[in-house]
Amino acid sequence: MNNMLFGLADKQWIWLATIVFASSFLLGSYSALKLKRKTGRPYILGLVTFGWILQTTGLYARGLQYGGCPLANQFELVQFMVWSAIAIYIFVGPAFRVSLLGVFTSGFACLFSILSLIFGHWDSPSREPIFGDSPWIETHAALALFSYGVFGVLALTSAMYLLQSRSLKTKNVVGGLFPFLPSIVELVSINGRLAKMGFVILSVSLAIGYRYFIQNLDSVLTVKLASTIAVWLAYAVVLVLDWKLAITSKKFAWSCIFIFVAALLSLAAVDRNSDNSSHAAAYSESIEQP
Amino acid sequence: MSAEDDKSFIVVSINHEIAPLEVRERYSLDSEKVGKLYSDLHSSDHISESLVLNTCNRFELYTQLSDDATPQEVLEQLAQIYAVSTDEIKDHIHLRSGQDAVQHLIEVSAGLRSQITGEAEIFGQVKAAYAESQTNGYAGKVINRVFQKGFQAAKLIRNSTTVGEGQINIANVAVDLAGKIFGDLKSAAALSLGTGEIGEKTVKALRSRGAENFGIASRSQERANEVAQQWGGTPRLLSELPEYLQEYDIVISSVGAESPIITYDLVKKRIAKRRGRPLFLIDLGLPRNIEKRCGDLDSVFLYNLDDLASIADENLAQRKKAVLESTEIAAQKSKFIWDAILKRKQFEKK
């Protein structure tokens, strides 16, 4: 079931976006590794933004089908997370002035977009919204996925930190990506800011979700609840340890990568809720009645 | 004479590639003699344009000859200035003409022919020489075109190849690494343990890249005061190192000592007080001043003399590799520039 927009189906727009993300990743990597030139931020930013506009068009076409955020299955969850990560790169990334961030983010977007497109069963034909009909529940879900996008970018900058730190430790500092990676101190600062930003967004999302959950304890599957709280708690613990200086920057970076991988796996748990979507829908109806 | 055989644009060069230092010294000119050379050249009927490039490593004279003139006339003018015979001049010079001379200019401007391959200073020197020739009216149509287009080609080489990338002296390699750890060095505090030459060079290199806060430690308070005043910084006593080590981000150690003065235990204790900020230890001492295990600590980056020298060598090797690629660009661009000049000459003759 495809919705057409400007003559193309939603998935065709998303395929085009994926091709643009792949192109910016390949061009940026080739420029840095082979030509040994700085990946000019303007052209990478321009390409990634173009891909993001194509993806937004695809997701918008999807959203038109049932008049809400396209968050109905695992394909859409992954696409929305990728969309969020790219949005963070476009709107917040330039402030970080990190030349390779665009290349890393487009690689990340390309990988997850391809995975979501090739695993056909992620895009279940059911168009039942898994988070119910309430706009607040939709906001809760959209914010949660947006925070995952932030954590995705955090995982990338953490990987950049580990790469840079390893190059400096092993004294492998000639050639490769080393000349293009930002300094250790800048990456530590970026990681800290992204972790706080993602955590605040996730907290707001959970606070909105909690308001509904507390009124109907059956509205959320235990596995989803447990996994979401575990992700939130994990980031909270890492942030507290960092604030108390009880964790090194290297351990902080590794933790951010591990938690993000766990958070991605928890998306499957979120999708499992689709079996329970009727629950959520019924619940939404009940709480919206005076 | 066909256009292709046009040898009217020539360069006479005495440089480090063909002449030893004592010869280059003899052919080096002060500004007064350069002025005289220019006026002698322009009083001659054989030379219509000229440009003198006079640096510590090379003397070069670019000239556009008048019709039917030969390079011999230029050599005679030079022989007069240096008060030697033309045969002696011929023994020490490199003469190129036409497209070869244009290519030579591009290669010199891009730093491909510098003693330190890829150094950038020469580009400014060539530009200054061109400005002088132009201001005094010694540059004409050919020199203007060759130099302006040559500068564009040199910039292209520097921007599109790695010929100027990577530092090749130890102090600058250390400073580059400090930049990769701390980013802006303005906020990084540096401590020099020892007051030797290599420490001084590193402090100077750090200062040139924005570092402002320095500590200079010596075994004697008197020496520390004296050197701190000279280099700029706070004098420190080496024996009190454990008290102030945590205040510094970059530590350059070049002290003559039998055993390490910075131990693993000392760094481990002090790193805890640095609120997660990394520490860059540069061990320039022989025997080594810093215990090797310090580099095992997270957020501590330890480099010794061999590490820095090896990076400098790798950078130099990379630059030399890039010279081949750069020379190809210089050849292509010089052909393009020279062909355009020949076409214009043919057009003007018609």
Side-chain angles (χ1 to χ4, degrees):
Chain A
M1 191 166 72
N2 287 326
N3 201 36
M4 303 288 283
L5 199 64
F6 305 123
L8 289 178
D10 52 358
K11 269 203 174 171
Q12 286 173 317
W13 284 108
I14 289 170
W15 265 114
L16 284 177
T18 307
I19 291 167
V20 174
F21 294 145
S23 309
S24 42
F25 173 67
L26 292 175
L27 274 173
S29 307
Y30 181 77
S31 175
L33 292 171
K34 190 75 184 169
L35 304 178
K36 303 191 188 306
R37 283 176 206 162
K38 278 192 179 172
T39 55
R41 245 176 281 138
Y43 92 78
I44 289 288
L45 184 65
L47 259 181
V48 174
T49 307
F50 178 57
W52 186 74
I53 292 167
L54 294 174
Q55 191 194 20
T56 307
T57 312
L59 290 175
Y60 180 68
R62 280 229 154 192
L64 284 178
Q65 284 178 279
Y66 60 97
C69 249
L71 299 168
N73 56 41
Q74 210 165 340
F75 167 78
E76 290 171 4
L77 295 184
V78 171
Q79 282 296 330
F80 194 83
M81 182 199 68
V82 167
W83 180 89
S84 308
I86 296 286
I88 288 293
Y89 164 68
I90 294 170
F91 298 108
V92 185
F96 296 154
R97 292 189 289 167
V98 175
S99 61
L100 275 183
L101 189 56
V103 179
F104 275 66
T105 314
S106 50
F108 168 88
C110 171
L111 172 72
F112 281 99
S113 198
I114 287 176
L115 284 178
S116 70
L117 285 162
I118 59 171
F119 289 123
H121 64 278
W122 284 12
D123 194 11
S124 99
S126 161
R127 302 301 307 167
E128 288 289 328
I130 61 173
F131 296 105
D133 289 334
S134 162
W136 279 105
I137 296 186
E138 211 166 72
T139 307
H140 146 77
L143 280 176
L145 282 170
F146 194 78
S147 74
Y148 278 31
V150 177
F151 291 135
V153 178
L154 170 62
L156 295 177
T157 54
S158 295
M160 288 166 99
Y161 170 87
L162 291 170
L163 205 61
Q164 185 69 311
S165 176
R166 189 178 156 72
S167 300
L168 282 162
K169 281 274 186 193
T170 56
K171 285 138 194 174
N172 191 9
V173 295
V174 177
L177 289 178
F178 179 80
F180 310 105
L181 286 167
S183 73
I184 291 285
V185 165
E186 282 164 332
L187 284 167
V188 168
S189 157
I190 291 168
N191 287 352
R193 280 188 276 170
L194 283 173
K196 282 173 206 148
M197 183 180 172
F199 181 73
V200 168
I201 297 170
L202 184 60
S203 302
V204 172
S205 156
L206 294 187
I208 294 169
Y210 175 77
R211 191 172 158 246
Y212 291 90
F213 169 69
I214 205 76
Q215 289 172 45
N216 183 349
L217 298 178
D218 292 335
S219 62
V220 183
L221 279 180
T222 315
V223 63
K224 179 192 164 188
L225 185 70
S227 60
T228 312
I229 289 178
V231 168
W232 182 82
L233 263 179
Y235 279 114
V237 168
V238 168
L239 275 169
V240 169
L241 287 176
D242 184 50
W243 178 58
K244 291 259 179 199
L245 301 172
I247 188 171
T248 62
S249 302
K250 187 177 166 187
K251 284 178 184 157
F252 181 85
W254 274 118
S255 306
C256 292
I257 292 173
F258 283 133
I259 301 170
F260 179 66
V261 172
L264 280 185
L265 295 175
S266 80
L267 278 183
V270 173
D271 190 36
R272 279 176 63 185
N273 207 22
S274 57
D275 303 335
N276 207 31
S277 58
S278 51
H279 247 313
Y283 167 66
S284 297
E285 279 167 25
S286 73
I287 59 168
E288 277 166 17
Q289 280 167 8
Chain B
M1 184 176 66
S2 72
E4 285 68 28
D5 296 332
D6 190 324
K7 308 271 188 216
S8 60
F9 178 68
I10 63 162
V11 55
V12 176
S13 176
I14 300 166
N15 57 58
H16 64 95
E17 292 172 271
I18 46 169
L21 184 62
E22 54 274 19
V23 173
R24 298 202 306 274
E25 272 170 352
R26 264 193 282 146
Y27 287 96
S28 175
L29 295 177
D30 58 26
S31 55
E32 199 181 314
K33 280 193 172 168
V34 170
K36 182 167 180 348
L37 177 62
Y38 267 129
S39 66
D40 286 359
L41 289 169
H42 282 264
S43 59
S44 157
D45 294 335
H46 304 297
I47 293 153
S48 56
E49 301 176 37
S50 65
L51 184 146
V52 177
L53 172 67
N54 187 33
T55 73
C56 50
N57 267 331
R58 61 179 65 242
F59 167 83
E60 293 194 340
L61 172 61
Y62 293 85
T63 49
Q64 171 62 32
L65 304 175
S66 307
D67 287 344
D68 302 327
T70 63
Q72 183 64 24
E73 275 91 18
V74 177
L75 298 183
E76 281 168 10
Q77 294 280 358
L78 280 177
Q80 267 185 3
I81 283 281
Y82 290 116
V84 292
S85 67
T86 49
D87 285 344
E88 195 182 327
I89 293 248
K90 276 180 188 168
D91 285 345
H92 301 302
I93 60 151
H94 203 145
L95 182 88
R96 288 170 180 225
S97 60
Q99 188 196 323
D100 283 348
V102 180
Q103 184 171 343
H104 177 82
L105 167 73
I106 296 171
E107 288 173 1
V108 168
S109 305
L112 309 184
R113 298 202 159 265
S114 296
Q115 207 157 24
I116 299 168
T117 310
E119 58 98 6
E121 203 185 346
I122 186 70
F123 189 55
Q125 291 169 326
V126 180
K127 276 174 102 174
Y130 171 60
E132 189 188 354
S133 164
Q134 204 187 31
T135 312
N136 295 314
Y138 301 131
K141 264 191 268 180
V142 175
I143 282 190
N144 279 331
R145 187 157 184 93
V146 166
F147 276 73
Q148 285 165 12
K149 293 285 170 189
F151 291 154
Q152 285 174 9
K155 275 185 196 165
L156 177 76
I157 287 170
R158 294 199 71 85
N159 291 334
S160 63
T161 71
T162 53
V163 76
E165 277 173 24
Q167 299 295 345
I168 50 176
N169 80 53
I170 285 172
N172 285 337
V173 167
V175 174
D176 252 15
L177 289 171
K180 279 292 175 190
I181 296 169
F182 299 101
D184 182 9
L185 293 183
K186 212 171 179 181
S187 60
L191 171 68
S192 174
L193 302 178
T195 53
E197 192 192 343
I198 197 154
E200 183 182 9
K201 278 185 183 166
T202 314
V203 166
K204 273 187 182 165
L206 283 167
R207 196 185 291 285
S208 73
R209 288 274 291 269
E212 290 172 348
N213 185 2
F214 291 94
I216 315 291
S218 179
R219 286 206 170 90
S220 87
Q221 187 68 56
E222 204 183 351
R223 175 76 181 145
N225 289 342
E226 184 192 323
V227 178
Q229 202 172 12
Q230 209 179 320
W231 298 359
T234 311
R236 298 283 196 178
L237 258 180
L238 201 54
S239 54
E240 292 168 0
L241 179 65
E243 290 165 31
Y244 55 81
L245 180 64
Q246 69 275 7
E247 294 170 26
Y248 293 95
D249 302 309
I250 304 163
V251 179
I252 310 133
S253 187
S254 55
V255 177
E258 285 304 310
S259 56
I261 53 168
I262 297 183
T263 61
Y264 176 83
D265 290 337
L266 174 65
V267 175
K268 198 177 176 187
K269 271 183 207 157
R270 299 296 140 187
I271 196 88
K273 295 189 174 182
R274 290 183 47 77
R275 304 192 61 79
R277 199 164 159 82
L279 176 64
F280 182 27
L281 300 173
I282 306 165
D283 188 351
L284 303 176
L286 277 175
R288 277 180 279 181
N289 295 165
I290 302 172
E291 211 175 322
K292 201 181 166 192
R293 278 199 307 151
C294 295
D296 296 342
L297 292 163
D298 274 354
S299 309
V300 176
F301 301 95
L302 169 63
Y303 282 73
N304 63 34
L305 207 53
D306 280 359
D307 299 328
L308 299 174
S310 144
I311 295 165
D313 284 349
E314 276 186 72
N315 284 335
L316 187 61
Q318 272 218 340
R319 282 187 180 199
K320 285 191 171 157
K321 232 195 265 174
V323 167
L324 290 175
E325 192 189 343
S326 307
T327 307
E328 268 178 42
I329 298 173
Q332 284 169 9
K333 292 290 169 187
S334 60
K335 183 172 179 349
F336 180 78
I337 296 166
W338 190 242
D339 285 351
I341 289 171
L342 292 180
K343 271 184 196 162
R344 184 182 278 194
K345 278 188 179 178
Q346 276 181 324
F347 180 76
E348 282 169 356
K349 274 181 188 168
K350 283 176 192 169

